[in-house]
């Protein structure tokens, strides 16, 4: 091993940045370099001044925010009291993972790069800005960036003389070793923490799970109510409920058969290296194989390239090995995309496609092969003021055809849709976090909300909360395909309109020849909107799918400013920018 040590720190929301960081860790091991890979918030940031070589891998979430597991680090790093030469002994580099269809593309990585320079760090190369929209996905940028990174790093920190790097097909040691127990351990009693956290979620009972789209409609959308009595959970409009789904029973069974695992057996884990982070906190010790496969390993996700890199090291069948090595290589990314990403093939299906290699797999490598199931977030669609001790959500069940025979399903939405309270008590372990939307306190400030489809969820919460507080200046633009098929919460809106608690403007895109969307209704209501925004200081919100809708609504709003306020295009843009700065324009979109 080299005497030099590399530290790889990541900020990851969906697991991509963690996966990239672990990949860099394996590349360092192959180059005989000592390496540690850690989440930014589990690293003691005060030690940064004594590090010599660090790579930061970070994603950007929401509207340019840092991921949850780097928020503490972020606050520390931007303290004004930090001296300008704090990091003058540090060689480092920043790789960002982003999506250029969002306005704040790789905002966190760019800002981190600038801040490290201001603190005196020596940046080994320009910030890497990987992009989901690239033809080859994030690898299109991260591959060449990593080649440059290793050239630069190995010239400054040369490996021990005479040691060639390990080849890609050579196995690295696993991060953990499994020790199987001969008997079933006693059941541990769990003490519930309040308020609930990701490590100690609250088991909320499902009260109802109703389909709210017409049976003939292509999309199954569920209105689900969860009982949070005794949880101490408080939330307000705009907040988000978090949950981790389980793998389907048939997938768990198939996985255990493929790998010849007994789901009822128990094991403990030991890290193989003292620098490896401790055993994942969400895995009980001892743990059953069933818990590991059902609730922890993400076996039904589309696997990333790193999955093929690790799998390839087990292949002794020549045909399978060549294919796996191709999928692992930079040149093979087009082929991998066609095999995996386009048809949305799952990791479990890949194992079935490579039977000779799957048989050779050592169970010790399961945590190297499969990422952890990531939590999913849903905008809360209810208010505690109208529904005490309850959380309600609107869930579009993801199911579609690809070129593969079996329909593709969303893990979390399918799991939620399958929970049937009429068969007995069913529970969803959950916790709540602050959302990105916040609503004005002043009772006279009007609120304009544009929420097509399930984007209406946070606005249902806001309208319920505001109506209960006597705030009546609420305008909702709701859009869907058809008045008779997917008009969510129709009777509730009609009651609230009758009671003078809101104004409702609807757009049913498929109910007439020409398609009518929410942005068309925004333009039509220009007089009302200008009056509310320019004269009454209204707040304007957008929620829903991040495709074309948010940009189209923004364009419509700028047209309102031009038409009613006599503004130029530039002035309308400046007005929108000023509203955004003052938090009077907010959006929450998802892809």
């Amino acid at each position: 091993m080299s005497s030099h040590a590399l530290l790889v720190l990541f900020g990851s929301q969906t697991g991509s940045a963690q996966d990239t960081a672990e990949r860099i860790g394996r590349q360092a091991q192959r180059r005989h370099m000592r390496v540690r890979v850690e989440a930014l918030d589990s690293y003691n940031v005060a030690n940064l001044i004594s590090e010599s070589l660090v790579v930061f891998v970070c994603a950007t979430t929401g509207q340019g925010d840092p991921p949850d597991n780097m928020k503490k680090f972020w606050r520390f790093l931007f303290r004004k009291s930090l001296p300008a030469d704090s990091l003058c002994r540090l060689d480092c580099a920043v790789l960002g993972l982003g999506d250029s269809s969002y306005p704040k593309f790789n905002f966190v990585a760019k800002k981190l790069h600038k801040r490290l320079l201001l603190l005196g760090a020596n940046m080994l190369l320009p910030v890497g800005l990987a992009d989901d929209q690239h033809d080859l996905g994030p690898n299109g940028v991260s591959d060449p960036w990593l080649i440059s990174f290793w050239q630069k790093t190995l010239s400054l920190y040369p490996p021990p003389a005479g040691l060639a790097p390990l080849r890609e097909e050579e196995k690295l040691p696993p991060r953990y070793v499994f020790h199987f127990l001969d008997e079933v351990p006693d059941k541990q009693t769990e003490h519930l923490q309040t308020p609930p956290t990701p490590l100690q979620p609250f088991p909320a009972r499902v009260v109802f799970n109703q389909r709210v789209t017409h049976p003939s409609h292509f999309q199954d959308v569920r209105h689900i109510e969860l009982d949070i009595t005794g949880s101490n959970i408080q939330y307000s409009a705009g907040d988000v409920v978090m949950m981790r789904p389980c793998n389907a029973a048939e997938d768990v069974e198939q996985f255990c058969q493929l790998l010849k695992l007994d789901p009822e057996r128990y094991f403990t884990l030991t890290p193989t290296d003292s620098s490896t982070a401790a055993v994942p906190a969400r895995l009980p010790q001892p743990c059953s194989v069933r818990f590991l496969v059902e609730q922890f390993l993400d076996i039904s996700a589309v696997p990333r390239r790193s999955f093929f890199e690790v799998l390839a090291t087990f292949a002794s069948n020549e045909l399978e090995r060549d294919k796996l090595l191709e999928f692992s290589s930079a040149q093979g990314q087009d082929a991998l995309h066609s095999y995996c990403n386009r048809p949305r093939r799952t990791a479990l299906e890949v194992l079935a496609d490579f039977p000779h290699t799957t048989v050779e797999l050592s169970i010790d490598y399961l945590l190297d092969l499969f990422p952890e199931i990531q939590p999913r977030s849903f905008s809360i669609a209810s208010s505690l003021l109208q529904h005490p001790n309850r959380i309600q959500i609107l869930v579009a069940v993801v199911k579609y055809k690809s070129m593969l025979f079996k329909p593709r399903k969303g893990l979390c939405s399918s799991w939620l849709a399958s929970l049937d309270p009429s068969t007995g008590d069913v529970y969803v372990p959950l916790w709540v976090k602050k959302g990105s939307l916040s609503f004005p306190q002043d009772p006279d400030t009007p609120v304009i909300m544009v929420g097509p489809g399930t984007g209406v969820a946070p606005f249902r919460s806001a309208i319920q909360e505001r109506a209960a507080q006597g705030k009546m200046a609420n305008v909702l633009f709701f859009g869907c395909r058809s008045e008779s098929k997917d008009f969510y919460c129709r009777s509730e809106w009609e009651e609230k309109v009758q009671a003078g608690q809101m104004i409702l403007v609807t757009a049913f895109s498929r109910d007439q020849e020409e398609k009518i969307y929410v942005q068309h209704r925004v333009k039509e209501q220009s007089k009302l909107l200008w009056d509310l925004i320019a004269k009454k200081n209204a707040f304007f919100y957008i929620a829903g799918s991040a495709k074309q809708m948010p940009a189209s609504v923004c364009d419509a709003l700028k047209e309102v400013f031009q038409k009613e306020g006599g503004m130029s295009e530039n002035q309308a843009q400046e007005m929108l920018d000023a509203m955004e700065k003052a938090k009077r324009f907010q959006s929450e979109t998802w892809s």
Side-chain angles (χ1 to χ4, degrees), residues 25-81:
R26 288 194 297 275
Q27 290 179 352
Q29 284 179 283
R30 292 190 184 286
R31 288 160 176 81
H32 307 286
M33 195 175 238
R34 287 184 299 131
V35 64
R36 282 181 6 255
V37 180
E38 276 189 63
L40 277 153
D41 276 0
S42 56
Y43 172 73
N44 182 354
V45 64
N47 295 340
L48 204 54
I49 53 168
S50 51
E51 303 286 355
S52 54
L53 178 62
V54 178
V55 178
F56 297 89
V57 185
C58 46
T60 296
T61 70
Q63 318 303 313
D65 303 314
D68 290 344
N69 65 1
M70 69 178 280
K71 286 198 160 131
K72 284 197 312 225
F73 167 85
W74 198 245
R75 282 194 296 273
F76 180 90
L77 200 71
F78 283 89
R79 279 185 188 172
K80 294 201 166 50
S81 57

Side-chain angles (χ1 to χ4, degrees), residues 262-279:
D262 174 0
E264 306 315 321
R265 283 204 71 183
Y266 280 76
F267 62 88
T268 57
L269 288 175
T270 325
T272 45
D273 176 1
S274 56
S275 69
T276 302
V279 173

Side-chain angles (χ1 to χ4, degrees), residues 123-143:
M123 305 310 286
L124 296 174
L125 59 163
V127 59
L129 303 174
D131 184 5
D132 275 350
Q133 299 298 321
H134 191 287
D135 286 347
L136 297 175
N139 292 326
V141 172
S142 59
D143 276 358

Side-chain angles (χ1 to χ4, degrees), residues 3 17 38 65 131 218 303 313 403 417 441 451 470 472 476 500 504 550:
S3 56
E38 276 189 63
D65 303 314
D131 184 5
F218 75 98
T313 63
M403 58 187 268
Q441 290 306 305
M472 304 303 184
L476 173 66
L504 175 67

Side-chain angles (χ1 to χ4, degrees), residues 426-443:
V426 278
Y427 295 88
V428 172
L430 55 79
W431 65 100
V432 163
K433 72 174 206 185
K434 273 263 148 286
S436 61
L437 301 178
S438 56
F439 293 85
Q441 290 306 305
D442 178 358

